[in-house]
Amino acid sequence: MKYVKAFISEILWDCSWFCSAMYERENEQRQNEEERILQANNRRFNSLFEYPDNSIKTSKYSFFNFLPVNLFEQFQRLANAYFLILLFLQLIPQISSLAWYTTVIPLIVVLSITGVKDAIDDVVKWLPGLPSLHLKRHQSDQQVNNRSVLILVNGRIEENKWRNVQVGDIIKLENDHPVTADVLLLSSSEPYGLTYIETADLDGETNLKVKQAVSATSDMEDNLELLSAFNGEVRCEPPNNKLDRFSGTLSYLGDTYFLDYERLLLRGCIIRNTDWCYGLVVYTGPDTKLMQNSGRSTFKRTHIDHLMNVLVLWIFMLLGGMCFLLSIGHGIWESNRGYHFQAFLPWERYITSSAASSALAFWSYFIVLNTMVPISLYVSVEIIRLGNSYYINWDRKMFYAPKNTPAQARTTTLNEELGQVEYVFSDKTGTLTENVMIFNKCSINGKTYGYSYDENGQCVPKSPSNKVDFSYNHLADPKFSFYDKTLVEAVKSEDPLVYLFFLCLSLCHTVMSEEKVEGELVYQAQSPDEGALVTASRNFGFVFHSRTPETITVIEMGRVRVYRLLAILDFSNERKRMSVIVQTPEDRVMLFCKGADTIIYELLHPSCAALSDVTMDQLDDFASEGLRTLMVAYRELDKAFFQTWIKKHGEAWLTLENREKKLALVYEEIERDLVLLGATAIEDKLQSGVPETIVTLNKAKIKIWVLTGDKQETAVNIAYSCRIFKDEMDAVFMVEGTDRETVLEELRTARKKMKPESLLESDPINIYLARKSKMPFKAVDEVPNGSYGLVISGCSLAYALESNTEFELLRTACMCKGVVCCRMTPLQKAQVVDLVKRYKKVVTLAIGDGANDIGMIKAAHIGVGISGQEGMQATLSSDFSFCQFRYLQRLLLVHGRWSYNRMCKFLSYFFYKNFAFTLVHFWYAFFNGFSAQTVYDIWFITFYNLIYTSLPILGLSLFEKDVNETWSLCYPELYEPGQHNLYFNKKEFIKCLLHGIYSSFVLFFVPMGTVFNSERSDGKDISDFQSFSLLVQTTLIWVMTMQIALSTTYWTMINHAFTWGSLGLYFCILFLLCSDGLCLMFPSVFNFLGVARNGLNQPQMWLCLVLSSVLCLIPLMGYNFLKPILWPINVDKVLNRIHFCLKHPLPPPVQIKVKHPGLRRSAYAFSHKQGFGALITSGKTLKSRAFTRR
């Protein structure tokens, strides 16, 4: 079995997976692996299976494959292939009516410019935040592959490179170092072989997780002799992308041990709070779960690119039809007339008949009419995209000053696609939020704390001057901020309920404390909420200092107090609370509990009824601000009652059947008649402007789905905070099924409520779907009967994404205003994006900041990376990058919309001007015996697209604005035309063609009528070919200039210079080419001697120019005037509203804060792992030094 070093992403450095087609066979072989077998410390045995090494490759091109691969990609554009064919035709002298270099030079220039741009994109990547630093992908590969790793070789630890790690090696990992490959944990520096890891690059969660070594090897610790002698054989599942699953067996010394996910350290994790650990390498390089989850990159091309390919094919067919028609005309003319005039027009020797001449005429006209698809089209498109990319880079309003980082367009090919987005898929942590939990407010005994007050007791906005001074507490965390000084005064006054409140926060948790430097405590929390609460209690004088399996040490207002830990009533998703039972130094037995407010409320003593009502109202206020709330309560226990209860607890703990259920019943016996202390409100700090941005995008009819690896409660809370979900929604559906049938039923139930008729066979959409036998097809939009949201977990999503249920998921989700998918793997994120792409046929955008977002960023049409807390992984894989989510509305509604509008105007005008220019030859063919003679001077043909008409349209395409950025953001409805591609589509192309045919007809026959049998004022004849050619081309240039002037709505000095300057430049070049000196020096090249001077001084010439211009412009002006009146679209109404506002400014609206009371959403322990309390009480999470009492 041969493995491949695929073009994959290295999450920690760069993230672009380009799989080459030449490796498909090897990839198929890898997928056929049924079971992985390996033996520790036996490279010879493992080499028999030809497992890949640990090296990676992120660059798209190499020195050897650049030319063929890049040319292959470029010639996917039909126009490039068309001009290559045209070049070969021009090399045939019998049919060539234009010199070969008129095609080969532009073609080489286009291919070279695009090739250089692609090479730069592949080799050099700009690093946001470091404007002066460029990271070369090839160098990045070397840096990653050459990282140092400690490998056990022949009883010694040797330093080697990552690339040289092989399956079966035993490696040593150290604190704060990334995991080199997917390894089986053998032993560690911690008791019981535990190792702490951070998995932000895998699932976006920054809280710590715990892994435990295999019991058979944990006692080896760092004994190199024992580790070297270890020869266990592992049989496990083949490489796969399931981040949360692993199964296998370890055979060692005659025994077999079961291996699960808790024994595996994955590449992409960071070792934390663990001095060292040893692991057996199971998967390397492309086989690691991280790389298996890295989505495959495709060559991203815009919808307009695809449309242009179709249009080029249409033009090619039209061109072939015209050439065929003209060749038939040529054959008829030669047969009827040309044959009899051979004395004047002799046939060439190779022409034996009129049919042969007709066949050659076909190809001659194919060359003459080739400008219907000018190659300069693609050069101009690249220049326009490049210019619009620089606007993004230069936008000061997307510059993030704290990080000194501007927005960055990392690709120049997707700008206009930004103006067509309908679905946005967003990560949560670090993208919508700042990934920072802040203790914001609290309620103690019915009094709210957390607002800032001035000296007169008036509530004022928070400011640094109002910040509470914690200098009295030398153990306070300097990064903690609070603005209500009355709470500090309550603590200092030793208010008993305030005392108990903070004592509960300092005792009721599973946080681990580490004091690396005396006086500097570092907390490692399973849940970021817990970390925020323990830090708050620390600052207010109740410092959690350390713990052992039996005790918790707290420094209360400077006094060291040791509480005996009697029991931890652990958290679970069903309980939504946790409790601790401690014995105080005064020998009192106390239970402290915190959890979801709706749960705690039911457990309170009746005497707390009045206080609980007040507290619940305060929780409503907290929830309306988007804060994560929970209640805090306590109970003093009778010792006899506790002794009876602890026996029941022990019996339930030792039960093998239904242990969780029996424990829950035992917990309920003691967690009752609680005394309410208060409530906390934690801010999962949203990035600035996130709610406003989402509301604005929703107004632009952009749907936003949140795809996150976090737990359901966290994701839902954030969805409400940032206005993806709203309290006034009719319903939010929860899909939590654990099998396919249940998930399908839940989805159909939701769809039945949103649109009951959608389940009937008579529904028009179901009838439409029944006719569509081919999958996938375009799913039509369905309108629900209200406003709904959908929440689905990763487990349910696994079934929903199966082939026979995925369309049901899509129909249900697309009818919802907001969708939240939680507990997702990176691959599932990419699959959801792909699902919408396949069936909805709309433009999708994915935005994220972590390595776990790379799959969806690559899968979407547009990938946006946030430079956030989780590093640069997503940024390096993205098409666009910036630092704050709020910049997305500016990227789409301003830059995206402008880019789309400009590109559409450019294409409409470009096709029109070339149709009008080229089709004149068609009309002329009927007057020249279908001889493939050109109307224009050869130099005019050369300069028409290159000089005369290139700058005006570039000026329009780079500077055009129908409305300014302020109106673009105030009226998001202006974004709608791009979503439906209204400004340039096949219908608009047909209009351009018809307009071009009409204009070419006018441009030929009006000058023809003008010069036919005409004389100058002195009696000399002007009915010659050169005068006619001059008049046609001058009229054409004049008409094209007027057309571009009418299409321009935003004039700048550059537009004026380009538009009128190009017209003036035409006349300057015209007089130069017709000058006596040039024509006398090179008579064979320049043969229009004196034509400009003699032709343009005739009044009938100028009259013809004016008449032709009027006839060409009247249809355009009439259509532009009547269209908004007779066939208005929504954007026309918005533009009318804007124009009215400009003339009649309205007073600014008064902002009224409306409170929407809704469901309280507890935020407790959303990232908390069940069972951690048991680990604490068993001592398995504690370092040896933690057992020493102070």
Side-chain angles (χ1 to χ4, degrees):
M1 185 183 299
K2 187 175 180 180
Y3 281 78
V4 187
K5 299 176 184 177
F7 296 125
I8 55 174
S9 65
E10 169 51 44
I11 294 303
L12 300 174
W13 287 88
D14 200 353
C15 310
S16 298
W17 188 4
F18 298 98
C19 270
S20 173
M22 68 183 68
Y23 295 134
E24 286 300 319
R25 182 174 61 85
E26 287 87 345
N27 282 336
E28 291 176 3
Q29 290 178 351
R30 289 177 54 200
Q31 293 173 359
N32 292 332
E33 182 180 354
E34 296 181 356
E35 183 183 43
R36 172 149 297 198
I37 304 173
L38 60 106
Q39 194 174 77
N41 294 313
N42 193 341
R43 283 196 172 187
R44 178 178 297 180
F45 173 81
N46 298 327
S47 65
L48 298 176
F49 302 95
E50 298 185 19
Y51 297 130
D53 61 22
N54 205 38
S55 62
I56 57 96
K57 186 174 183 180
T58 63
S59 57
K60 182 178 182 180
Y61 303 114
S62 69
F63 178 80
F64 298 102
N65 73 1
F66 171 76
L67 194 59
V69 172
N70 187 257
L71 289 177
F72 173 77
E73 289 178 350
Q74 291 204 55
F75 281 112
Q76 289 185 44
R77 290 175 169 173
L78 291 183
N80 287 345
Y82 162 72
F83 281 103
L84 183 64
I85 296 171
L86 187 68
L87 172 62
F88 290 122
L89 293 177
Q90 286 182 302
L91 296 176
I92 304 174
Q94 288 81 2
I95 63 173
S96 179
S97 51
L98 294 174
W100 61 271
Y101 53 79
T102 59
T103 297
V104 71
I105 293 176
L107 181 61
I108 291 176
V109 170
V110 170
L111 296 178
S112 299
I113 291 174
T114 307
V116 169
K117 181 183 72 69
D118 291 342
I120 292 174
D121 285 345
D122 186 59
V123 173
V124 179
K125 277 295 183 180
W126 181 86
L127 282 181
L130 300 171
S132 62
L133 177 62
H134 290 76
L135 178 66
K136 294 185 178 180
R137 283 184 172 179
H138 294 273
Q139 291 181 355
S140 170
D141 293 343
Q142 294 299 320
Q143 290 174 359
V144 173
N145 292 331
N146 291 328
R147 279 180 172 177
S148 295
V149 62
L150 301 176
I151 303 179
L152 180 62
V153 180
N154 298 325
R156 294 179 303 163
I157 292 293
E158 295 183 359
E159 186 173 328
N160 210 320
K161 299 177 179 179
W162 274 33
R163 67 165 70 244
N164 297 327
V165 172
Q166 296 184 15
V167 171
D169 288 348
I170 293 180
I171 60 175
K172 181 180 180 180
L173 302 170
E174 296 180 326
N175 193 34
D176 295 332
H177 281 62
V179 178
T180 309
D182 289 357
V183 301
L184 180 66
L185 184 59
L186 299 179
S187 63
S188 79
S189 59
E190 307 306 299
Y192 301 94
L194 295 179
T195 297
Y196 300 93
I197 58 171
E198 182 183 290
T199 61
D201 284 341
L202 295 176
D203 54 21
E205 296 184 7
T206 56
N207 50 288
L208 291 185
K209 294 181 173 61
V210 181
K211 299 288 184 177
Q212 188 170 15
V214 181
S215 58
T217 61
S218 60
D219 293 336
M220 294 181 182
E221 297 184 343
D222 59 348
N223 189 318
L224 299 184
E225 183 177 349
L226 293 177
L227 290 168
S228 298
F230 177 64
N231 61 352
E233 183 177 285
V234 174
R235 291 177 177 267
C236 62
E237 59 190 19
N240 58 70
N241 52 40
K242 297 177 180 178
L243 288 174
D244 58 347
R245 294 182 185 177
F246 174 75
S247 63
T249 59
L250 169 65
S251 299
Y252 180 55
L253 299 179
D255 294 325
T256 300
Y257 302 88
F258 175 72
L259 304 178
D260 58 15
Y261 175 70
E262 297 302 322
R263 309 289 184 258
L264 196 67
L265 302 181
L266 302 183
R267 180 172 185 160
C269 299
I270 307 294
I271 303 297
R272 298 293 191 200
N273 212 24
T274 304
D275 293 335
W276 51 261
C277 65
Y278 287 87
L280 172 64
V281 176
V282 178
Y283 304 118
T284 52
D287 288 347
T288 59
K289 289 183 179 291
L290 180 62
M291 301 308 174
Q292 291 281 315
N293 270 279
S294 296
R296 177 177 299 185
S297 283
T298 57
F299 180 56
K300 288 189 177 182
R301 302 169 66 207
T302 66
H303 281 61
I304 285 182
D305 277 334
H306 291 288
L307 177 60
M308 284 168 60
N309 271 351
V310 174
L311 299 182
V312 167
L313 185 60
W314 284 13
I315 293 173
F316 183 81
M317 295 170 63
L318 176 63
L319 177 60
M322 288 195 302
C323 292
F324 180 73
L325 179 63
L326 294 174
S327 66
I328 291 176
H330 176 85
I332 295 173
W333 190 91
E334 287 288 358
S335 177
N336 294 339
R337 295 194 178 190
Y339 180 79
H340 303 289
F341 287 91
Q342 292 192 49
F344 303 98
L345 298 171
W347 286 358
E348 299 290 346
R349 291 192 305 271
Y350 48 80
I351 298 178
T352 58
S353 66
S354 59
S357 180
S358 175
L360 295 176
F362 175 89
W363 295 109
S364 296
Y365 270 112
F366 191 84
I367 295 173
V368 169
L369 301 177
N370 78 83
T371 48
M372 289 187 70
V373 186
I375 197 168
S376 58
L377 170 67
Y378 286 98
V379 176
S380 301
V381 166
E382 293 297 333
I383 293 174
I384 293 167
R385 287 172 171 170
L386 181 64
N388 286 317
S389 296
Y390 275 109
Y391 289 149
I392 296 173
N393 299 344
W394 293 339
D395 192 340
R396 298 294 300 177
K397 294 183 179 179
M398 295 175 69
F399 177 81
Y400 190 58
K403 288 190 176 182
N404 193 32
T405 304
Q408 179 73 7
R410 300 175 59 80
T411 180
T412 59
T413 59
L414 301 175
N415 295 345
E416 67 271 13
E417 199 96 316
L418 291 170
Q420 300 179 270
V421 174
E422 285 195 48
Y423 283 82
V424 170
F425 302 93
S426 175
D427 179 40
K428 182 192 72 68
T429 306
T431 302
L432 299 176
T433 69
E434 291 186 358
N435 203 12
V436 175
M437 300 292 180
I438 298 175
F439 182 83
N440 190 284
K441 293 180 178 67
C442 65
S443 167
I444 305 177
N445 195 28
K447 182 177 181 180
T448 300
Y449 298 95
Y451 296 99
S452 180
Y453 301 94
D454 60 14
E455 297 177 353
N456 300 321
Q458 298 296 319
C459 187
V460 296
K462 295 178 181 178
S463 65
S465 60
N466 297 328
K467 187 176 178 180
V468 172
D469 181 12
F470 290 106
S471 58
Y472 68 90
N473 181 4
H474 70 279
L475 291 176
D477 186 343
K479 294 179 290 186
F480 179 82
S481 299
F482 202 73
Y483 298 88
D484 190 348
K485 299 178 182 178
T486 60
L487 183 56
V488 176
E489 295 171 358
V491 172
K492 291 181 178 179
S493 66
E494 297 185 357
D495 184 309
L497 292 178
V498 173
Y499 179 95
L500 286 173
F501 178 85
F502 283 111
L503 182 60
C504 176
L505 297 186
S506 64
L507 292 173
C508 186
H509 57 77
T510 58
V511 174
M512 304 298 297
S513 173
E514 188 173 11
E515 190 174 7
K516 294 183 178 180
V517 179
E518 187 174 354
E520 295 184 10
L521 293 174
V522 177
Y523 291 151
Q524 300 290 354
Q526 269 249 303
S527 160
D529 302 76
E530 278 205 325
L533 293 175
V534 175
T535 300
S537 66
R538 166 184 174 177
N539 276 62
F540 283 103
F542 293 77
V543 182
F544 164 64
H545 188 270
S546 62
R547 69 162 73 245
T548 72
E550 298 86 16
T551 64
I552 300 177
T553 301
V554 179
I555 302 178
E556 301 173 9
M557 303 301 290
R559 296 173 298 170
V560 178
R561 291 170 60 85
V562 179
Y563 292 83
R564 184 184 174 193
L565 181 60
L566 301 177
I568 294 180
L569 283 59
D570 206 2
F571 165 85
S572 73
N573 287 326
E574 292 75 23
R575 284 167 39 76
K576 294 186 178 180
R577 65 186 183 275
M578 79 161 288
S579 301
V580 295
I581 302 175
V582 297
Q583 184 176 8
T584 69
E586 293 79 18
D587 201 28
R588 298 165 61 192
V589 178
M590 306 286 291
L591 178 145
F592 292 102
C593 180
K594 66 179 182 183
D597 39 42
T598 53
I599 300 298
I600 301 296
Y601 182 84
E602 302 296 330
L603 304 177
L604 296 178
H605 191 276
S607 62
C608 298
L611 177 59
S612 63
D613 290 340
V614 173
T615 304
M616 293 298 264
D617 289 338
Q618 293 167 338
L619 286 172
D620 281 337
D621 294 333
F622 296 159
S624 67
E625 297 177 28
L627 302 178
R628 301 154 64 99
T629 61
L630 66 138
M631 272 188 171
V632 178
Y634 81 101
R635 177 187 179 187
E636 185 168 357
L637 303 175
D638 178 74
K639 291 183 180 180
F641 169 74
F642 173 74
Q643 292 298 327
T644 303
W645 178 87
I646 199 67
K647 291 180 181 179
K648 294 181 180 179
H649 176 267
E651 293 173 357
W653 180 258
L654 296 175
T655 303
L656 297 179
E657 296 182 1
N658 298 322
R659 178 197 291 177
E660 297 298 329
K661 184 176 181 181
K662 292 181 178 179
L663 280 174
L665 294 174
V666 172
Y667 291 164
E668 288 180 4
E669 289 185 21
I670 202 167
E671 288 176 327
R672 55 185 177 83
D673 294 335
L674 302 180
V675 178
L676 179 62
L677 290 172
T680 63
I682 296 175
E683 180 182 5
D684 185 0
K685 193 169 179 60
L686 290 175
Q687 289 187 12
S688 175
V690 166
E692 295 81 2
T693 298
I694 289 176
V695 169
T696 301
L697 294 179
N698 284 336
K699 289 181 180 178
K701 297 186 178 179
I702 298 175
K703 291 188 176 182
I704 300 176
W705 294 14
V706 177
L707 311 182
T708 178
D710 275 359
K711 282 194 175 181
Q712 177 175 306
E713 293 86 348
T714 310
V716 171
N717 191 291
I718 291 299
Y720 276 101
S721 299
C722 60
R723 306 294 289 164
I724 294 174
F725 289 166
K726 300 176 182 178
D727 290 327
E728 54 268 27
M729 279 184 166
D730 295 291
V732 175
F733 303 109
M734 301 289 181
V735 178
E736 301 172 316
T738 55
D739 57 75
R740 193 186 70 84
E741 290 73 19
T742 305
V743 170
L744 187 61
E745 181 62 29
E746 289 176 337
L747 290 172
R748 287 179 175 171
T749 301
R751 184 153 62 89
K752 182 179 180 181
K753 184 171 183 180
M754 290 188 287
K755 188 181 178 184
E757 62 272 20
S758 67
L759 295 178
L760 302 176
E761 294 183 1
S762 59
D763 181 60
I765 294 179
N766 288 333
I767 296 174
Y768 164 80
L769 296 177
R771 296 173 181 171
K772 296 290 183 178
S773 58
K774 185 178 179 181
M775 302 278 283
F777 47 83
K778 183 176 180 179
V780 296
D781 293 331
E782 299 182 72
V783 180
N785 56 18
S787 177
Y788 299 93
L790 177 69
V791 179
I792 183 169
S793 65
C795 177
S796 302
L797 201 60
Y799 298 102
L801 288 173
E802 292 179 357
S803 58
N804 51 353
T805 55
E806 62 177 10
F807 190 71
E808 185 68 39
L809 168 66
L810 183 82
R811 289 187 69 180
T812 304
C814 288
M815 279 197 282
C816 297
K817 293 290 185 182
V819 176
V820 173
C821 303
C822 46
R823 279 302 184 201
M824 300 182 72
T825 66
L827 182 63
Q828 285 180 326
K829 291 185 178 185
Q831 289 174 331
V832 169
V833 174
D834 183 67
L835 176 66
V836 175
K837 281 175 60 179
R838 281 188 288 118
Y839 285 103
K840 298 298 289 184
K841 311 297 183 186
V842 296
V843 178
T844 58
L845 180 148
I847 179 170
D849 74 318
N852 57 319
D853 304 317
I854 290 171
M856 71 173 182
I857 285 176
K858 289 178 179 178
H861 293 100
I862 303 169
V864 178
I866 298 285
S867 304
Q869 300 286 336
E870 298 180 26
M872 307 302 298
Q873 297 89 342
T875 298
L876 292 173
S877 239
S878 64
D879 304 306
F880 301 89
S881 66
F882 41 74
C883 284
Q884 294 284 291
F885 182 86
R886 68 176 183 271
Y887 297 152
L888 182 62
Q889 65 175 327
R890 189 169 180 84
L891 181 71
L892 299 183
L893 304 186
V894 177
H895 294 288
R897 183 176 168 276
W898 282 348
S899 295
Y900 172 74
N901 289 357
R902 291 164 180 166
M903 185 61 71
C904 291
K905 280 194 173 185
F906 164 78
L907 292 174
S908 297
Y909 175 80
F910 206 97
F911 281 118
Y912 161 71
K913 77 181 180 70
N914 283 286
F915 289 149
F917 166 69
T918 305
L919 292 176
V920 170
H921 292 297
F922 181 81
W923 308 118
Y924 185 49
F926 292 90
F927 293 86
N928 64 16
F930 303 96
S931 60
Q933 182 183 359
T934 59
V935 177
Y936 313 109
D937 172 28
I938 188 67
W939 289 105
F940 181 80
I941 295 175
T942 304
F943 291 153
Y944 178 73
N945 282 306
L946 185 63
I947 297 176
Y948 297 148
T949 60
S950 60
L951 289 181
I953 186 58
L954 282 178
L956 173 74
S957 305
L958 291 174
F959 302 105
E960 176 67 0
K961 301 177 184 177
D962 55 348
V963 295
N964 62 31
E965 60 188 55
T966 302
W967 292 114
S968 295
L969 294 172
C970 288
Y971 290 94
E973 300 89 343
L974 292 170
Y975 190 78
E976 185 178 353
Q979 295 172 321
H980 303 292
N981 201 18
L982 297 180
Y983 289 160
F984 189 77
N985 48 43
K986 295 174 183 177
K987 182 179 178 181
E988 293 298 318
F989 173 78
I990 297 297
K991 292 179 183 177
C992 294
L993 176 60
L994 296 176
H995 190 196
I997 293 173
Y998 167 78
S999 296
S1000 68
F1001 184 87
V1002 172
L1003 289 169
F1004 178 78
F1005 284 101
V1006 171
M1008 173 65 77
T1010 301
V1011 301
F1012 186 70
N1013 290 332
S1014 297
E1015 295 180 348
R1016 292 170 43 172
S1017 57
D1018 56 5
K1020 293 182 180 180
D1021 186 21
I1022 58 173
S1023 296
D1024 62 279
F1025 165 73
Q1026 291 186 340
S1027 297
F1028 172 69
S1029 176
L1030 172 69
L1031 182 56
V1032 172
Q1033 65 190 38
T1034 302
T1035 305
L1036 174 65
I1037 291 297
W1038 191 268
V1039 168
M1040 292 303 109
T1041 303
M1042 292 301 102
Q1043 289 276 4
I1044 200 71
L1046 287 176
S1047 300
T1048 303
T1049 58
Y1050 183 77
W1051 284 93
T1052 65
M1053 290 299 297
I1054 298 178
N1055 287 91
H1056 282 293
F1058 282 1
T1059 303
W1060 312 120
S1062 293
L1063 184 61
L1065 183 62
Y1066 162 74
F1067 285 104
C1068 293
I1069 294 177
L1070 177 64
F1071 280 103
L1072 175 64
L1073 296 178
C1074 297
S1075 63
D1076 297 345
L1078 206 57
C1079 291
L1080 293 175
M1081 289 176 62
F1082 308 99
S1084 62
V1085 180
F1086 305 98
N1087 45 30
F1088 273 51
L1089 176 62
V1091 175
R1093 181 173 64 252
N1094 296 326
L1096 294 180
N1097 62 3
Q1098 301 302 311
Q1100 59 263 49
M1101 296 288 193
W1102 292 101
L1103 179 62
C1104 169
L1105 188 148
V1106 173
L1107 179 61
S1108 299
S1109 299
V1110 170
L1111 289 175
C1112 288
L1113 294 177
I1114 282 179
L1116 176 66
M1117 298 173 66
Y1119 178 76
N1120 289 340
F1121 176 77
L1122 294 175
K1123 181 177 177 294
I1125 299 174
L1126 301 179
W1127 309 286
I1129 58 177
N1130 290 337
V1131 70
D1132 294 323
K1133 301 174 183 178
V1134 176
L1135 289 173
N1136 290 335
R1137 215 156 57 231
I1138 292 174
H1139 295 150
F1140 179 83
C1141 291
L1142 289 173
K1143 295 178 181 178
H1144 308 89
L1146 298 174
V1150 178
Q1151 297 291 334
I1152 301 176
K1153 184 177 179 181
V1154 180
K1155 179 179 174 182
H1156 300 285
L1159 195 64
R1160 286 180 294 275
R1161 295 177 292 277
S1162 172
Y1164 171 61
F1166 289 155
S1167 301
H1168 200 89
K1169 180 180 177 181
Q1170 182 178 354
F1172 203 65
L1175 287 174
I1176 289 177
T1177 54
S1178 67
K1180 292 184 179 182
T1181 64
L1182 306 174
K1183 298 187 177 185
S1184 55
R1185 59 178 175 272
F1187 287 90
T1188 59
R1189 297 195 181 188
R1190 292 179 175 268

